[in-house]
Amino acid sequence: MILSRYERMIARRYLLPGRGEAFIFLVAGISLVAVMLGVAALIIVMSVMNGFRAELFDKIVGLNGHAVIQGIGGDMPDWRNIAKIARETPGVTSATPLIEQPLMSSYNGRVEAVLLRGMRTADIQGNGTLKVVQGSLKNVTPGSNRIAMGNRLAEALGAQVGSQVSLISPQGQTTPFGTVPRIVSFTVGAIIEIGVYDYDKAYVLMPIEDAQSLLLMGDSVGMIEVNTTDAFSVRTILAPIADKVAGRAQITDWQQMNAQLFEALAVERVAMFTVLSIIILVAVFNILSSLIMLVRAKTRDIAILRTMGARRIGLMRIFMTVGTVIGALGVVAGLMLGFVFLYFRQAVVDFVQLVTGQNLWDPQIRFLSELPSKTDPVEVIGIAVMALVFSFLATIYPAWKAASTDPVQVLRYD
């Protein structure tokens, strides 16, 4: 809207408190604060949800790849041939042999379920998802009898670097009295943190040669981890492999492996956006009510302006500008508040936990160790535009009422 000089002057005066109009100004201030809180809440929640999803995706895909080609019955004796087929497929960047087997672990009388993962030494040491807490992954080499375990698992067992932890495999020797479980002791060479609670509580990493020996698998592996050029097109990229390995292996991509988790996040994201948008809608109604009160308080002024030649469209522009400016200031303040909160998000969580004595971010429930955040610029712009559009729409009715004021009726007895 392009305002004339007098329209800008009047709009500016209406934005500032006049004598006897403190209550109207208070309502307008509350409207501004409400818009600010609504915009900030939306930005904070959506950024945290995006960060949560992105962090989970990075951790899960960084450890498990974009897809796995798993042998039928958990055994893949011809894995080299299948890995070659995968590598030669357009769009595939790597195909890595893996062994993954649930076992039991024991240390000092404590027993915990673990997920044994056998990997090539170079893959263990070059995996950027693994953060070393104690020890060194360089100690975990074939034949060294050393393993790396998650920090939560180490806490549960009471183990540390140098501890002798026993791994119990049900695949042992067969005797006349049944199968005797295979129990092998390993030295903890490193304690790692992945950042996902379920992984940190269960994972035990060892060289693939040691895993084959422990599980009596010979030269076989359990699966092949595949990475592609585009994680979201993994099904299309790997479609040619499915026919070539039919009957020998099956392909499972990251979306299938974590379907329930990511679908729940998507539903929660939409629900949170819808609920928090109501805050902005409430703020818009506050703008509407403050403008209606302003119009009623300025009825005589409006009538005088009409008698002096002010046009209806000009009066509408004045009041629409007042309401839109209130909304715009609220949006700007909300953006600033949201970004400040996101920058200090973990400090805020720690402070609230300290004051309340409650654990607000339990990794057992939230999966991740820290509160994540990833701000989407397009989403932020969308939230700001939505708040501005709502604010603008809220000004139409009060502005129309102001423009419809009949100066004859108002000034008849003055």
Side-chain angles (χ1 to χ4, degrees):
M1 292 184 295
I2 300 177
L3 276 67
S4 64
R5 184 176 179 182
Y6 94 90
E7 290 171 352
R8 288 197 300 271
M9 179 191 69
I10 295 173
R12 187 164 52 248
R13 289 186 60 183
Y14 285 176
L15 282 169
L16 299 175
R19 184 177 299 175
E21 298 167 358
F23 183 73
I24 297 175
F25 179 74
L26 176 62
V27 175
I30 292 174
S31 304
L32 188 151
V33 172
V35 173
M36 176 188 72
L37 293 177
V39 170
L42 263 177
I43 291 174
I44 292 168
V45 171
M46 299 310 294
S47 296
V48 169
M49 294 292 293
N50 289 340
F52 193 81
R53 186 181 187 280
E55 194 76 11
L56 271 179
F57 175 80
D58 291 342
K59 299 290 187 184
I60 291 172
V61 172
L63 196 62
N64 297 321
H66 295 166
V68 293
I69 305 175
Q70 191 166 13
I72 301 298
D75 190 33
M76 188 184 294
D78 59 340
W79 64 270
R80 287 183 177 85
N81 180 39
I82 295 176
K84 182 180 178 182
I85 293 173
R87 293 191 191 99
E88 293 174 350
T89 302
V92 174
T93 57
S94 67
T96 307
L98 290 178
I99 294 176
E100 200 167 81
Q101 181 71 34
L103 301 177
M104 297 298 293
S105 64
S106 174
Y107 177 70
N108 279 351
R110 299 182 184 181
V111 178
E112 292 287 338
V114 301
L115 186 61
L116 172 66
R117 189 178 180 89
M119 303 171 65
R120 294 183 302 188
T121 307
D123 297 326
I124 293 176
Q125 297 178 358
N127 194 313
T129 307
L130 306 177
K131 176 184 175 183
V132 179
V133 179
Q134 294 180 27
S136 174
L137 291 176
K138 294 180 180 179
N139 298 328
V140 184
T141 56
S144 65
N145 208 43
R146 292 191 181 96
I147 59 174
M149 65 168 51
N151 60 333
R152 304 286 180 177
L153 175 60
E155 290 176 6
L157 289 173
Q160 54 187 344
V161 172
S163 299
Q164 294 287 326
V165 176
S166 297
L167 295 183
I168 306 169
S169 171
Q171 299 175 1
Q173 296 180 345
T174 303
T175 69
F177 301 100
T179 301
V180 178
R182 182 175 171 81
I183 304 175
V184 181
S185 294
F186 291 89
T187 303
V188 178
I191 295 177
I192 59 173
E193 180 182 9
I194 301 168
V196 180
Y197 181 85
D198 287 353
Y199 292 168
D200 292 333
K201 184 68 167 58
Y203 261 41
V204 169
L205 304 183
M206 68 170 56
I208 194 167
E209 297 85 352
D210 293 350
Q212 290 172 332
S213 175
L214 172 64
L215 300 175
L216 305 177
M217 296 180 66
D219 189 45
S220 181
V221 301
M223 64 183 69
I224 295 174
E225 176 191 285
V226 178
N227 283 305
T228 63
T229 53
D230 184 3
F232 296 95
S233 302
V234 63
R235 293 184 185 178
T236 304
I237 294 173
L238 299 184
I241 303 177
D243 296 333
K244 298 178 182 179
V245 301
R248 293 182 292 169
Q250 59 184 7
I251 301 175
T252 307
D253 60 55
W254 67 271
Q255 293 172 321
Q256 294 171 322
M257 288 187 285
N258 307 280
Q260 293 181 338
L261 176 60
F262 284 99
E263 285 177 8
L265 285 176
V267 172
E268 185 177 1
R269 187 170 177 271
V270 173
M272 292 301 292
F273 182 86
T274 304
V275 170
L276 291 173
S277 295
I278 297 175
I279 298 177
I280 296 180
L281 199 58
V282 171
V284 164
F285 279 111
N286 284 337
I287 294 176
L288 175 65
S289 62
S290 65
L291 286 180
I292 291 175
M293 295 173 63
L294 182 62
V295 169
R296 290 183 63 86
K298 298 295 184 180
T299 300
R300 188 172 181 277
D301 294 357
I302 295 170
I304 293 174
L305 289 172
R306 292 280 288 121
T307 59
M308 293 174 65
R311 296 187 302 164
R312 292 177 182 270
I313 188 66
L315 291 172
M316 287 192 67
R317 283 201 295 262
I318 290 172
F319 285 94
M320 291 173 74
T321 299
V322 171
T324 304
V325 167
I326 293 173
L329 291 175
V331 169
V332 172
L335 291 173
M336 295 173 62
L337 178 62
F339 291 142
V340 169
F341 184 94
L342 289 174
Y343 185 80
F344 296 103
R345 63 188 182 279
Q346 195 58 46
V348 171
V349 172
D350 294 340
F351 175 76
V352 174
Q353 289 182 155
L354 180 64
V355 172
T356 61
Q358 299 295 322
N359 187 2
L360 302 180
W361 192 260
D362 187 352
Q364 299 183 52
I365 301 173
R366 312 294 183 184
F367 291 100
L368 301 179
S369 302
E370 294 184 352
L371 180 66
S373 172
K374 183 180 180 181
T375 303
D376 184 355
V378 175
E379 204 167 63
V380 171
I381 292 172
I383 291 171
V385 170
M386 180 187 68
L388 286 174
V389 169
F390 282 176
S391 300
F392 176 78
L393 294 176
T395 65
I396 295 177
Y397 176 73
W400 176 79
K401 289 293 292 182
S404 302
T405 300
D406 185 357
V408 175
Q409 294 295 329
V410 175
L411 302 176
R412 173 180 297 178
Y413 300 106
D414 287 354

